[in-house]
Amino acid sequence: LLLRNLQTRMNPHFIFNSLNSINNYIARQDERSANRYLGRFAKLMRNVLDQSGKDFVSLTEELEQLSLYLELEKERFTGKFDYELPSAAGYEDVRLPPMILQPFVENAIWHGLRYREQGGQLTVAVEQTKGKVMVSITDNGIGRTRSADLKTKNQLNHKSTGLETTLQRLELINAHYDEGFSVQISDAFPEAEHVGTCVEIGMQ
């Protein structure tokens, strides 16, 4: 029940941020872009609802879902970043909890890449060796330390639950299903001006 509750909390968090993107077009009175964005969002939400009752989906499904999300966010943050995703084909037998990658990608965009003037890059990569799979999410944003320094008092008081919920879900899934999911977070480019962030999600 606790696992289901945490998964339910994840979906409203994701919906809220996506609706903000649509609201920006409405505020700018850009009806054509708002309609196009809303159509893509509707397709994405159908997928989210289809997956909401599942404990696991294939990595192929997760990457397809992530592609839709990134397409929408890149349109929202025009010119802020480009992204690279691996082909979704070939990972049908790799399973993971639904919407487990999206919060990390969202953090990369909202807390790192959006503060850059230009040259933002987000890369999602998959390595598969000897029955183990590693998904890495790397950005060249401003990094965790500078991002925390830029937060306003209001942002500090408003605690985002997306990342915390994701880590709690993985802990519960590891315990309940005897899985081996792990998460490592580090600076991607420690010596660079924009140190970025690298998140590595391991699964066995």
Side-chain angles (χ1 to χ4, degrees), residues 114-198:
R114 74 179 178 128
Y115 292 112
R116 289 191 59 128
E117 292 295 327
Q118 58 185 0
Q121 180 68 36
L122 176 70
T123 302
V124 179
V126 180
E127 293 185 14
Q128 194 169 13
T129 56
K130 297 181 180 179
K132 295 184 179 181
V133 178
M134 178 73 72
V135 179
S136 61
I137 300 167
T138 306
D139 71 80
N140 64 347
I142 64 172
R144 293 167 294 167
T145 301
R146 285 181 62 193
S147 178
D149 291 341
L150 288 173
K151 285 185 179 180
T152 65
K153 182 178 180 180
N154 182 59
Q155 289 172 323
L156 289 171
N157 290 335
H158 178 71
K159 184 179 180 182
S160 175
T161 62
L163 183 56
E164 178 185 350
T165 299
T166 301
L167 297 176
Q168 289 176 348
R169 284 179 67 200
L170 288 177
E171 287 180 6
L172 286 169
I173 286 169
N174 284 342
H176 186 70
Y177 292 101
D178 195 26
E179 295 285 346
F181 292 102
S182 63
V183 178
Q184 297 289 332
I185 303 176
S186 60
D187 291 341
F189 311 102
E191 305 303 322
E193 177 185 359
H194 299 295
V195 300
T197 304
C198 178

Side-chain angles (χ1 to χ4, degrees), residues 19-31 33-35 38:
L19 288 175
N20 274 340
S21 300
I22 298 172
N23 187 57
N24 277 347
Y25 283 123
I26 295 173
R28 295 190 337 229
Q29 298 182 338
D30 188 346
E31 183 179 348
S33 294
N35 287 337
L38 186 58

Side-chain angles (χ1 to χ4, degrees), residues 31-50:
E31 183 179 348
R32 184 175 181 180
S33 294
N35 287 337
R36 182 180 65 248
Y37 197 103
L38 186 58
R40 293 172 178 172
F41 174 71
K43 180 180 179 181
L44 185 60
M45 289 315 305
R46 282 195 298 269
N47 290 349
V48 170
L49 292 173
D50 286 344

